[in-house]
Amino acid sequence: MPPRTAAAVGVLLSLCLSGSALAETFRYVVMANGEKVGHLVAEVQGRSTSVDYAVSNNGRGPKAREKIEADAAGIPVTWTIEGESLFGSPVQERYAWRAGQAEWVSQADKGEVPAAKPLLYIGNDVSPWMLGVYVKALLKAPDRTLPVAPSGRLRLTEVRRITLGEGKAAVPLTVYELTGIDLNPTYVLVDRKGELFASGGLIREGYEATVPMLEKMHREIALARAEAAQAKLAHRFEGPVRIRNVRIFDPVSMTVGGLSTVVVYGDRIATVGPNDAAGPAPAGETVIDAQGGTLLPGLHDMHSHTSLSSNLFNLAAGVTATRDQGSDNEDLLAMLEGLRTGRLAGPRIVRNGFLEGRSPYSARLGFVVDSLDEALTKVRWYADRGYWQVKLYNSFNPDWVAPVAAEAKRLGLGVTGHVPAFSSPDRVMRDGYDDIAHINQLMLGWILDPKEDTRTPLRLTGMARGKDLDLNSPRVQATVTLMKEKGVALDTTAMILERLMLSRSGQVQAGDAPYLDHVPIGYQRYRKRNFVTIKTPQDDADYQAGFRKVLETLKMLDDRGVQLLPGTDDGTGFSSQRELEVYVMAGIPAGKALRLSTLDAETYFGRDSQLGSIERGKLADFILVDGDPVADITRIRNVRMTMVGGVAYYPAEIYEHLAIRPFAPPPPVTPAR
């Protein structure tokens, strides 16, 4: 044996005898819309792992450096995470198991639980590497389920097996569904050794070209799951449906009336009349007893990003129509066909086409364009596919807005969006915007210096400066006057500002408290974390005061007659309910907030002759709520039934399907006889 070879063998033997192992490096890239936006590198040596993870997309992204020590079974006994959360808030997270006890400290909480042996830990700010750790542990567990810290259980289900690549490059993979962490299942791909290969936008380095194939597979899995949900959850009726003992919200008068009866036939409201609960139902009719609840036109989320899972969450929350402000174009078009044919559950969706400019801060969604000519071409692409508006984003060149808006309007499309960096609300309105997305995008035009870069997290953190904003100043009032003159609306998403500006480590926000203990532990902890950096009491006070100014701005705009479009930039449904509560916090009457989310939204879409109120001949899109949300807006959270085009969904059934504890029971239903 050559001396060098003999020496190498000696080193290997020494390492094996000492219980050590050679380091193995796993490299991954994070992809978004076909572009690399981040990386993950894991160095594994025996039971020790070091992880470096970073993402930069849309001017923001998490960063994590992790150290993991595992026991002989691969369960972490210590786990440290340091870095930054999505918007740059510092992260210092610790987990340890020792002497029969699991302990942790995170942005969300601090706690301990008795544990005779190590528990899997659901990290708050961990990288996707954790998914591979979870899968390995669950594959060894009875029934592939395990208890976890801080609480709950994880479950692993094999979905399918695939081979990626061809010939010597072919990699056999198993696709698993992981549940018990978040509101939605997570799909994880592992190789034949059980090592993490891909999940979501993360994929092993060198296989980036296979992302489209994996995306197609994920769509197939998600679609099959969504079609099964529709078959299970949708209630269709033969003959008329008579809803008795119901009070109707009238968005014109913004009041709730006395007990009435509403009859639905097919997809339309057939009659609206006096309550007839005392008499027997006519033969062939299904009867729903509303038990004195309130029937409202379906709610609207005027700023959504659609997914198959968000469709169910929206229906459960009483949202029957959304305006999609940017999604994967092909996915969205395919989804619309499924909704049209009844194979999928979901609200009615108005499509807006996402257009972003190329920069280091670009959001990888829709189309990212490099020139004005390319932008105009993409406007035509959206027009040819029936989109309603185009949405422009932070890195879009301000000089392109006017010609793009002119082309959009020539083709019959409207224009919405963020205020591009280094532009202003006044300029985009003059250049052709029909509405502005997000109240902070409007207010930053009054708060920041025009040279400051809103492609960065400054578009959030800068809102703390709003505490000193004078809403009666000429600058502010000139913008509001221009909005009135041009009929420009505001897509508010005020609850997202509340969620971000008032996020504090370990605290449950008022908007999350009504539902948070109903959902999986991972999402509970996610909602109890910082999104802004609070270093001093003054920082806290500034963000609190800044959000109060958001509320004052909402009220001022409503008083001035600017149309407000309630939206969320979220997909949980809970946020649509909170948006209306925030309106009421701002001083807008509950009846007006409900009108804005129902009839006024449909008037904005130009569909108010068919939707937006409960009247004979209109489409049967409405919700049944336990109680009177005009008297108490929080009652909007107690949705007992959602109907879209005459098809009924019971939120309690949807939430049970999603492994969420329900909030209100379905109404009593007597089948047709």
Side-chain angles (χ1 to χ4, degrees), residues 16-35:
C16 291
L17 291 174
S18 66
S20 302
L22 291 176
E24 189 172 8
T25 301
F26 297 86
R27 299 182 183 276
Y28 304 85
V29 296
V30 182
M31 304 291 291
N33 205 21
E35 300 185 27

Side-chain angles (χ1 to χ4, degrees), residues 110-137:
K110 175 181 180 180
E112 57 187 44
V113 293
K117 57 183 181 179
L119 288 173
L120 282 179
Y121 173 64
I122 303 300
N124 200 45
D125 283 286
V126 294
S127 72
W129 179 258
M130 71 172 184
L131 300 173
V133 174
Y134 297 159
V135 169
K136 283 184 177 180

Side-chain angles (χ1 to χ4, degrees), residues 252-280:
V252 176
S253 66
M254 299 176 284
T255 61
V256 172
L259 290 176
S260 302
T261 292
V262 175
V263 178
V264 173
Y265 184 72
D267 65 350
R268 299 269 172 178
I269 298 169
T271 63
V272 179
N275 196 35
D276 63 357

